[in-house]
């Protein structure tokens, strides 16, 4: 049976993640409400602006229910802003009262916009642990991981910075695989969801 994987539909490449998940073997659905969150087996948190997404999670009363689902072991994958939100700690979280709010999914510290501003966005091929060849990674105002806990596995680096991690059934990348047509990262996540 195909897992039902939600894509948090507040901002970002929602359509692209839905398509990638479908191609990777999941039943992909949008998640904007608590009732939708309760029907899924796993969640993808796409890119966007982490402080705006945090605000919307609070406004839609999804923040604490999402934290609870993650704490209960729901698999999750975060790309770019999704990586930031899945962190336990966010370095430079934003202006007071408008900061990004960590969901405490992965034991890591993440720095927002670590590679620079929009004009510093770039692409490149990076080796990815567990995949047979490098992935083409698109970095857009991307974060990087500054600290990982003992149970966190590093899956990829760019310029010596950690840009892909896994902890249990949680996955995070600072880049956007949904825009490249390469479905291997999404397939890895779908396989993680169905692991017993």
């Amino acid at each position: 049976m195909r897992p039902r994987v939600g894509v948090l539909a507040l901002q970002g490449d929602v359509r692209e993640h839905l398509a990638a998940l479908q191609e990777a073997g999941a039943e992909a659905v949008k998640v904007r409400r608590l009732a939708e969150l309760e029907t899924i087996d796993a969640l993808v948190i796409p890119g966007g602006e982490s402080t705006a997404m945090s605000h919307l999670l609070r406004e839609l009363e999804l923040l604490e229910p999402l934290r609870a689902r993650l704490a209960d072991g729901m698999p999750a994958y975060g790309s770019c802003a999704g990586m930031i939100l899945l962190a336990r700690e966010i370095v430079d979280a934003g202006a007071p009262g408008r900061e990004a709010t960590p969901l405490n999914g992965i034991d890591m510290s993440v720095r927002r916009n670590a590679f620079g501003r929009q004009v510093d966005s770039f692409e490149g091929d990076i080796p990815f642990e567990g995949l047979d060849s490098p992935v083409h990674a698109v970095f857009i105002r991307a974060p990087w991981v500054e600290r990982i806990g003992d149970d966190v596995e590093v899956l990829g680096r760019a310029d010596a910075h950690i840009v892909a991690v896994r902890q249990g059934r949680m996955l995070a990348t600072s880049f956007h695989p949904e825009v490249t047509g390469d479905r291997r990262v999404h397939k890895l996540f779908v396989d993680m969801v169905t692991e017993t």
Side-chain angles (χ1 to χ4, degrees), residues 1-5 20-27 41-44 73 75-77 128-131 166 168-171 183-196:
M1 195 161 115
R2 298 191 317 157
R4 185 175 172 87
V5 180
L21 288 164
Q22 288 283 140
E23 291 175 34
E27 175 193 351
D41 301 312
L43 182 68
V44 170
Y77 165 47
F128 196 99
E129 193 68 35
L131 299 182
R166 176 180 180 172
R169 295 199 309 162
M170 297 212 188
L171 179 68
R183 301 307 185 216
R184 292 177 297 161
V185 173
H186 288 82
K187 178 71 169 110
L188 172 64
F189 180 60
V190 171
D191 290 346
M192 289 166 53
V193 173
T194 58
E195 286 173 2
T196 54

Side-chain angles (χ1 to χ4, degrees), residues 1 15 29 43 54 70 72 83 100 114 119 122-124 149-150 155 180 187:
M1 195 161 115
R15 273 193 330 258
V29 296
L43 182 68
S54 295
L70 294 172
D72 286 343
M83 170 186 257
V119 296
F122 66 99
E123 300 181 26
D150 293 340
L155 301 179
T180 66
K187 178 71 169 110

Side-chain angles (χ1 to χ4, degrees), residues 126-135 153-157 163-166 171 173 175 184-185 188 192:
I126 63 163
F128 196 99
E129 193 68 35
L131 299 182
D132 56 355
S133 61
V135 296
E153 177 185 3
V154 175
L155 301 179
R157 294 178 186 267
V163 296
V165 296
R166 176 180 180 172
L171 179 68
T173 62
F175 53 89
R184 292 177 297 161
V185 173
L188 172 64
M192 289 166 53

Side-chain angles (χ1 to χ4, degrees), residues 11-195:
Q11 274 194 325
D13 293 334
V14 175
R15 273 193 330 258
E16 291 84 350
H17 276 292
L18 290 168
L21 288 164
Q22 288 283 140
E23 291 175 34
E27 175 193 351
V29 296
K30 292 180 183 177
V31 172
R32 275 197 202 115
R33 305 191 190 312
L34 179 58
E36 296 162 339
L37 178 64
E38 293 170 344
T39 69
I40 59 173
D41 301 312
L43 182 68
V44 170
I45 305 172
E49 211 292 309
S50 57
T51 57
M53 292 170 76
S54 295
H55 173 75
L56 290 168
L57 283 170
R58 286 190 292 273
E59 285 291 309
L60 297 170
E61 298 181 356
L62 282 173
L63 182 63
E64 293 310 321
L66 177 51
R67 276 188 174 151
R69 288 286 318 265
L70 294 172
D72 286 343
M74 178 181 70
Y77 165 47
S79 67
C80 198
M83 170 186 257
I84 295 166
L85 294 178
L86 278 179
R88 182 157 296 157
E89 178 189 18
I90 302 169
V91 180
D92 187 27
R98 294 181 38 96
E99 53 278 273
T101 305
L103 295 170
N104 303 321
I106 297 176
D107 184 9
M108 63 180 174
S109 298
V110 175
R111 180 173 295 277
R112 296 171 63 238
N113 302 329
F115 285 102
R117 300 163 58 89
Q118 188 81 20
V119 296
D120 301 310
S121 299
F122 66 99
E123 300 181 26
D125 293 334
I126 63 163
F128 196 99
E129 193 68 35
L131 299 182
D132 56 355
S133 61
V135 296
H136 188 72
V138 177
F139 295 88
I140 304 169
R141 292 179 53 211
W144 67 45
V145 178
E146 295 199 344
R147 180 203 58 82
I148 57 170
D150 293 340
D151 297 334
V152 178
E153 177 185 3
V154 175
L155 301 179
R157 294 178 186 267
D159 297 330
H161 298 291
I162 300 170
V163 296
V165 296
R166 176 180 180 172
Q167 183 176 18
R169 295 199 309 162
M170 297 212 188
L171 179 68
T173 62
S174 63
F175 53 89
H176 294 267
E178 74 278 5
V179 300
T180 66
D182 183 343
R183 301 307 185 216
R184 292 177 297 161
V185 173
H186 288 82
K187 178 71 169 110
L188 172 64
F189 180 60
V190 171
D191 290 346
M192 289 166 53
V193 173
T194 58
E195 286 173 2

